[in-house]
Structures are given as C-alpha cells and as structure tokens.
Amino acid sequence: MQNENNNLSIKQIGIRSSIMVGISILIGIISSYSGLGGNKQILAISIFTLIISATLVFWNFRLAIAFIGMAIILAGNVITLEEFINSAELDIILFIVGMMIMVGVLKDLGLFSWIIQSIIKMKRMTGYLFIVINVFMSAIMSCLVGEVTSIVFMLALIFQVCDTLKVSPTPHVFISVIATNIGSSGTMLGNPVGILIGTKAGFTFIDFMITAFPIMLISLAGALAVIIIWYKKEIRLFTERLEARRKMLIGLGPLIQIPYKKGLFILIAAVALIAIHHIIELRLGVAKNTLLIVAPLAISGILMIWKNERARYYVESEVEWWTLLFFMMLFAVAGSLERTGVTQQLALDFTNTFGNNPVVLSSIILFITAAGSAFVDNVVFVAAFMPIIKELGIESLWWALIFGACFGGNVTLIGSTANIVALGMIEKRYHSHISFMEWFRFGAVIGLTTCIIACGIIILIIIF
C-alpha cells in the first residue's frame, strides 16, 4: 500500500484528494442537518472523517494529513492545547513504547530464534501437528509480544519449513496471520486497541485473562476447525513430504545452539509483573492501571541500562514512531468529538435507533466494528466508537468492541497491520502476489465464524 501511494501520478493524487475532501465536506453538511448545529462540532466531525478517509486512499500520507487536521482543529479553537494534550492518550503511547523496546531486547537475546529452533527439532511432526502449533504459537506470541512481532517470527519459521519441504508457504502464512489477529484480542498486550480499551473501560490484565482470553481460545478453536477442513489437501501434502524426508533421516533445517534463558526470564518476569499490576496498585494505593502503564517503561529502562551500547538503537529503530504519532493525532481528534458533544449526541441517536438492550447493542457493535476494521485500521474504528460506548456505560459493549476490531482484521488483506507485514514479507521473498479475492474468500469465512462465536459467548455472559 505504501508503494502504491508513492507511485501515484498527479492526476491520481488529485482524484483521491477530491474524494477525501469531498467525503469530509459531505459528512459536515449531513451533520449540520442532523442536529449537530455548532460550528465546532461540524469541524471536529469533518476533520475526523478526513483522517479516516486518508487511511483508505492515502495510507502513506495519513500522518501528514493527521498533522494538518489537528492544526485546523487547534486553530479553529475546537479544543485548546491543554485539551489536545489530555486527549492524545500519552499513557497508551508510553506503554506501547516500553513494550516495543522490550521486544527489541528480546530479539537481540535470541528468544524468538530459540522458539523457532525448538519447533523445527520436534520429533513426530505431521501436517496436522504443524498446523496446530502454527495456530496456537501465533496466537500466544501475539498475546504476549504483539501482533507484528509475532507474525515476523512465525513467518521466519514457516518460510524455513516450507522451503525445506518444497510446499507453498501461502496457506501457512494465511493461517499464521489469522491466528495472530485472533490471539491479539486475548490480552492487553496483543494489540494497541487492547490497552486502549482496557484503560478507558477500567479493565485490568486479570479482567482480560478472565473474559477475553477464554473467548479468544474458543474462537481460535473454531477457526482451527475451519482451517483443517479448508486446507486438508495442503496438510496431507505437508505430511507426505515430511515422511519422505524422515525416511531419508533428514530434518527440517540446520540446528544451532541459541542462548535463550535470559530472554525467557525477562519475558516471564515482565508478563508476571503486568499480570499482578492491580494487586500491587491496591497495596500501594495508586490509581487503577498506573502500574500497568509504568511496568513496561520500568523494565525497558532497566534493559537499556544493561544494554546501554544498544539503547539508542532500541529507541530509534525498534519503536514505530510513525505509527505512534498517528495514533496520538487520531486520539486527540477523537477527543475533540467528545469535548464538543458530538459523541454524546451520537450515543443518544444510537440508543434511539437500536434501544438500550445490551444483547442487541453488543451484537450490533461487534459486527459493525468487524465490518469497519476489515477496511480501516482497527484503532481508527475503536477510537470512533470508544466515546460512544463510554457514554452508554455498558460493560459488554467494550468486549464486543475489542473482538469486532481484532476479528474483523482477518476479513481482508488490509484489515490489520499483521496482514500488511505478512504480505510484504511473502512478496519480498517469493515475488508472489496475493489477490484481494484470494484472501477475502478464506478471510470472510474465518471472520464471520469467529465473530459469531465471540458474539454468542458475550450474549451468554450478559444473560447469565
């Protein structure tokens, strides 16, 4: 998508700019005729629409457009500088920075390479066992270190194994990406929307483990059943090639000794500290989720002192500053909707249209978010819905929001960051292209299956 934007002609840029600005103006006009009479409200909703449109038609320029949009909002006195800073969710940004630095150190310590080696040397491997390992390993890694890190390392494993067996890596890449997106809903660490929703809804890490993690596992099992049926020919071929190599006493690749214990210890200690953050907060008498935000920062600070010769590299290269700055602008613009009363009005309209039954609202929000996240960055959709759900004050809607955002990302090839990273890696290595429909045929089935499962469980939780 980035290359596509870079290669646009002036004519194409003009057409797309007209579409983007036209949609923004149209939404502003519709808003003025639908009860949002204030100029500040219309400006806020128009700029927010502009940024969402930018993620669709100018992916590579989305940060630049967000900067300009934020400048217009500040210059138009829609919000003050102080309100901008309060709305930019600096706590979320700092949490993600801390996690990215920690993951960078874990890469250096060889933890992920050791995990790959451990799978490659497993005895009695079959096609079915490899699929199960691929699905659950992708999901669990996504839960612990985030979707992007998970997919990068899982694809390293898949490429090595598929190249060795001379089978197509595409089905296994699909499977890993899908499991990664599903797994990212299981904890607050898997996806930026997790920590965003967690802090806004007041959920702790344990709340996620009690509610989100089991729903994620059940949904993952449902997806695994679909995968095994859909790819049974590829699984059979994988097993046959593996058997042939086993008869020749040949493994799946060269094995080397990797020192992993330090990395494993750091990961376990970090997850354990984050898991008990609420207990420590209660004992220290600090505000809820304070230590959740502080823990990755403290750990990354200690690691940067220990690895001081690489500290600057971790901050400059491992942290996705481009994405984080875009998130800050997006959160601030979404905050302007809340501060100008737009979200209160939308929440009122929402309940007037659909009522206030949690079962109905949860189902609607989950499927609308899933449909939107299939085509727009899920953080954008969550940022749009979050103030409305905050106004409605129904807990189950937060869970519907996170599952819709994460599971909807499986529907199309642009549905999540993990999808785009995987596509880039497979194109770079094999010079092959995956078409939109090729992805959509399988992604839509998986997206619908997992959304139905998650929705059903959330309804059961509401009823019982």
Side-chain angles (χ1 to χ4, degrees), residues 75-191:
N77 199 29
V78 176
I79 58 172
T80 64
L81 272 174
E82 186 179 355
E83 288 172 333
F84 162 71
I85 293 168
N86 289 335
S87 302
E89 310 288 1
L90 287 178
D91 52 345
I92 308 294
I93 301 298
L94 289 174
F95 174 89
I96 300 173
V97 168
M99 287 298 297
M100 286 177 170
I101 292 174
M102 190 176 74
V103 168
V105 176
L106 293 179
K107 285 182 198 172
D108 267 2
L109 292 174
L111 176 64
F112 302 112
S113 301
W114 170 72
I115 293 172
I116 292 172
Q117 292 274 310
S118 302
I119 294 171
I120 289 174
K121 69 182 180 184
M122 283 180 70
K123 295 178 179 176
R124 299 180 181 177
M125 179 71 77
T126 65
Y128 287 104
L129 180 58
F130 185 74
I131 293 295
V132 172
I133 289 172
N134 185 1
V135 166
F136 282 95
M137 185 64 74
S138 298
I140 297 301
M141 280 188 65
S142 180
C143 273
L144 296 177
V145 296
E147 56 177 349
V148 174
T149 303
S150 170
I151 198 63
V152 168
F153 282 93
M154 285 307 298
L155 260 54
L157 165 69
I158 289 167
F159 290 161
Q160 180 171 337
V161 171
C162 290
D163 287 353
T164 302
L165 296 180
K166 294 184 171 48
V167 296
S168 170
T170 304
H172 301 281
V173 171
F174 274 163
I175 292 165
S176 182
V177 172
I178 280 164
T180 296
N181 287 329
I182 295 172
S184 70
S185 65
T187 71
M188 301 167 101
L189 313 179
N191 196 304

Side-chain angles (χ1 to χ4, degrees), residues 229-440:
I229 295 169
W230 193 283
Y231 286 117
K232 58 184 178 184
K233 287 183 183 176
E234 287 79 3
I235 296 172
R236 196 180 304 124
L237 177 64
F238 188 101
T239 303
E240 289 170 0
R241 296 282 172 86
L242 197 60
E243 278 296 319
R245 286 186 70 85
R246 193 171 288 138
K247 286 177 182 174
M248 293 187 286
L249 301 177
I250 306 173
L252 284 174
L255 298 177
I256 57 173
Q257 289 293 325
I258 298 173
Y260 64 92
K261 292 182 180 175
K262 290 177 182 174
L264 186 59
F265 172 77
I266 291 168
L267 179 63
I268 292 172
V271 173
L273 181 59
I274 291 172
I276 60 171
H277 73 93
H278 190 51
I279 298 172
I280 301 174
E281 285 161 359
L282 289 174
R283 288 183 177 251
L284 295 178
V286 298
K288 197 173 186 180
N289 285 342
T290 301
L291 289 184
L292 173 68
I293 302 297
V294 168
L297 285 178
I299 294 168
S300 60
I302 293 168
L303 293 176
M304 284 195 293
I305 292 173
W306 177 39
K307 295 280 185 181
N308 60 85
E309 74 285 356
R310 297 271 290 167
R312 182 175 287 274
Y313 167 80
Y314 295 136
V315 174
E316 292 179 350
S317 301
E318 295 293 345
V319 178
E320 292 281 346
W321 290 110
W322 179 280
T323 303
L324 294 183
L325 283 172
F326 176 71
F327 285 171
M328 284 177 65
M329 297 301 112
L330 181 68
F331 296 154
V333 176
S336 72
L337 297 177
E338 191 174 1
R339 292 175 189 280
T340 54
V342 173
T343 54
Q344 291 87 336
Q345 183 63 47
L346 291 176
L348 185 62
D349 294 343
F350 200 74
T351 50
N352 286 340
T353 306
F354 300 109
N356 55 8
N357 185 326
V359 171
V360 176
L361 290 179
S362 297
S363 306
I364 290 170
I365 285 178
L366 192 148
F367 283 99
I368 287 179
T369 311
S373 297
F375 298 95
V376 182
D377 192 317
N378 59 9
V379 177
V380 176
F381 234 79
V382 167
F385 257 113
M386 217 166 47
I388 299 172
I389 292 176
K390 199 175 170 184
E391 286 295 324
L392 295 172
I394 301 172
E395 182 180 316
S396 62
L397 303 187
W398 292 109
W399 298 119
L401 186 64
I402 191 167
F403 287 111
C406 293
F407 293 177
N410 277 329
V411 176
T412 69
L413 46 75
I414 58 170
S416 82
T417 308
N419 303 8
I420 294 168
V421 170
L423 285 172
M425 289 179 70
I426 202 168
E427 285 175 4
K428 183 178 179 183
R429 187 177 181 100
Y430 298 101
H431 305 289
S432 62
H433 175 71
I434 298 173
S435 70
F436 184 90
M437 287 309 298
E438 187 180 359
W439 186 295
F440 182 75

Side-chain angles (χ1 to χ4, degrees), residues 438-460:
E438 187 180 359
W439 186 295
F440 182 75
R441 279 195 294 271
F442 183 52
V445 174
I446 290 290
L448 185 62
T449 303
T450 50
C451 282
I452 290 173
I453 292 172
C455 186
I457 298 173
I458 290 172
I459 290 173
L460 288 175

